[in-house]
Amino acid sequence: MTTTTTPAEAAPSAEAPLQLTTEAPRTLSFSDQSAFWANLGVSLIGFSSAAVVLVPTGYSPLPVPASLLALALGTVAGMVMTALAGVVGTRTGAPAMAVLRGLFGTKLSWLPSLANIFQLIGWGVYEITVIVQGVDAMTGKVPRPLVVVAAGALCTSMAIWPLAVLRVLRKYVTGAVAVAMLYFTVQLLRNPIPHQSGTSWSGFFPAVDAALALSVSFLPMAADYMRHARSSRQAGGSAVLGYSITQFWCYAIGIVALLQAPNADVFHTMLGVTAGWLFFLVLVLRESDQSFANVYSTAMSIQNLLPRVDRRILAGGVGALVTVIALFVHDLGGFANFLGLIGSVFVPLAAVLGVDYFLGRGRQGRWDLSERSPARPAMLVPWALGFVVYQVLNPGSVDWWAHGWMHVQDWVHVHPGWWASASLYSFAVAALVTGAIVALDQRRAPGVSIPAQAEGSA
């Protein structure tokens, strides 16, 4: 695996390589990538999760214009972070966790890889459970184990043929999802939006952070797909554009539904419109691509530890594990809080990766992705500091964990308020500290910029 690669000469039907040591085919067009990210931006749980943007935890409800602005800013900011990490995969040809060999060294890259494996398995279970909830809202009659096994089998099959799935999404699924979203938008807006009372802009930045947190959750898997893009401009642009549009749209529908029926389940509100079940079914079936992405990216993360194991075997094993766990998971509340805690480690990691690759060793052509890449423990420092900043400003909802960080807040005399965007401050601190380390590194070992050909081909 080299620092830069040129697009592989591969047939359009070429699949993802079976081993980490094989060069990735560059067969995904702008429309393939855009369709993939647009589909990821739509989630059944996103409709009801709009509540965290409309009514940030601990704050008064936001006015609708403030909610939509916070949603737009958070979504785009999170996707820019995600796209930056993914573009490194486009330039190097490496999947997300293997990219981190250049940042930490091969052995130290196992640390974020293990964290990512853990959280992606969790998210895979989460998405299968969401599918079960969607089917249950529609029928209430299909046995839960049957839905879990069917959804698990589908997402596992998709993970074995990932690039073929992305092309299917572009040709058939994206259009159907857009029609369903448009239908629900029109039906919901036929009724007036009730007047809000007791609103305030005080929770604006926490709402931005809530929207950002969802879009940045795809950061540790972005390069797994963007490495197959034909250029970094196409990859980055398609991710930001495709995902931002649909997540904004999805959450906006959720905001309208919550305002019209604040005490009702959003699923049943959508099913209550004329022919709502038909278009809701489209969204339920589409949810499988979320679980597929988690299963496939888990296999890619494992390959950073076991580079010569066939990814199809890994994907099959991960899919089976996710399915079995999903049979026993019913409550998504505390489960989601814990997954959010694990995911918070990747916001500062994005800053460290971006600064070191685009301004440091990556720019100098010293990004070593070999299996013998030496350890760089200094790069753990900005990552850790960014994580601490994140937790001080947003310790989450896991009681024992949040209680500990509240003591830290008292000790440093910092208590989150309207200004507290944990993601943005965490990203900024990690980026600044990484910049200082990069400056010192360049003084010790000055290098040359990467060749113009590599910049252009990326």
Side-chain angles (χ1 to χ4, degrees), residues 279-296:
F279 297 95
F280 191 78
L281 176 62
V282 172
L283 299 180
V284 170
L285 293 174
R286 186 230 53 82
E287 196 74 19
S288 61
D289 68 6
Q290 299 267 5
S291 190
F292 136 69
N294 288 308
V295 170
Y296 176 68

Side-chain angles (χ1 to χ4, degrees), residues 38-373:
N39 277 282
L40 289 183
V42 180
S43 172
L44 286 177
I45 206 67
F47 296 112
S48 55
S49 295
V52 300
V53 178
L54 182 63
V55 188
T57 304
Y59 295 89
S60 300
L62 289 175
V64 171
S67 297
L68 295 179
L69 180 58
L71 174 60
L73 291 177
T75 298
V76 173
M79 275 316 295
V80 168
M81 295 179 188
T82 298
L84 285 174
V87 162
V88 181
T90 311
R91 293 192 170 198
T92 61
M97 294 299 106
V99 159
L100 299 180
R101 292 179 176 186
L103 182 64
F104 297 122
T106 297
K107 294 296 177 64
L108 282 182
S109 74
W110 292 357
L111 178 62
S113 296
L114 290 171
N116 199 36
I117 290 167
F118 183 76
Q119 74 144 355
L120 287 178
I121 289 175
W123 280 117
V125 173
Y126 184 92
E127 292 299 340
I128 288 180
T129 308
V130 170
I131 293 173
V132 172
Q133 291 182 343
V135 172
D136 187 63
M138 290 180 61
T139 67
K141 299 179 181 180
V142 182
R144 186 179 188 280
L146 180 61
V147 180
V148 170
V149 172
L154 177 60
C155 74
T156 302
S157 300
M158 294 167 71
I160 293 174
W161 293 281
L163 299 190
V165 167
L166 265 64
R167 286 185 281 269
V168 170
L169 290 176
R170 173 180 60 82
K171 290 181 179 179
Y172 307 109
V173 179
T174 306
V177 172
V179 169
M181 295 276 285
L182 182 61
Y183 183 80
F184 282 122
T185 301
V186 172
Q187 290 295 320
L188 290 172
L189 290 180
R190 291 176 64 184
N191 300 315
I193 298 177
H195 173 72
Q196 292 175 279
S197 60
T199 60
S200 169
W201 281 69
S202 61
F204 178 77
F205 284 109
V208 170
D209 208 44
L212 190 153
L214 184 61
S215 53
V216 84
S217 68
F218 292 99
L219 186 150
M221 65 170 71
D224 298 339
Y225 310 94
M226 292 170 70
R227 70 183 181 131
H228 297 289
R230 295 169 183 171
S231 75
S232 59
R233 291 180 181 177
Q234 284 188 359
S238 62
V240 174
L241 183 65
Y243 187 91
S244 296
I245 290 174
T246 54
Q247 177 168 294
F248 179 87
W249 194 0
C250 177
Y251 268 56
I253 290 175
I255 288 172
V256 173
L258 288 169
L259 289 173
Q260 291 181 347
N263 298 319
D265 183 277
V266 172
F267 287 2
H268 288 94
T269 300
M270 297 171 72
L271 287 167
V273 305
T274 305
W277 68 270
L278 177 61
F279 297 95
F280 191 78
L281 176 62
V282 172
L283 299 180
V284 170
L285 293 174
R286 186 230 53 82
E287 196 74 19
S288 61
D289 68 6
Q290 299 267 5
S291 190
F292 136 69
N294 288 308
V295 170
Y296 176 68
S297 287
T298 303
M300 289 291 93
S301 297
I302 296 174
Q303 270 202 329
N304 188 40
L305 284 63
L306 305 170
R308 291 173 180 80
V309 177
D310 191 316
R311 65 163 178 80
R312 296 172 298 185
I313 296 175
L314 296 176
V318 171
L321 176 62
V322 165
T323 303
V324 170
I325 297 174
L327 288 171
F328 302 95
V329 173
H330 298 271
D331 178 23
L332 292 181
F335 196 61
N337 291 334
F338 188 67
L339 290 173
L341 169 62
I342 296 297
S344 68
V345 303
F346 293 102
V347 171
L349 180 58
V352 180
L353 173 63
V355 171
D356 192 44
Y357 184 82
F358 292 103
L359 301 178
R361 291 200 173 187
R363 184 172 180 80
Q364 294 176 312
R366 295 193 290 143
W367 199 257
D368 186 358
L369 299 183
S370 69
E371 292 185 42
R372 297 183 178 180
S373 178

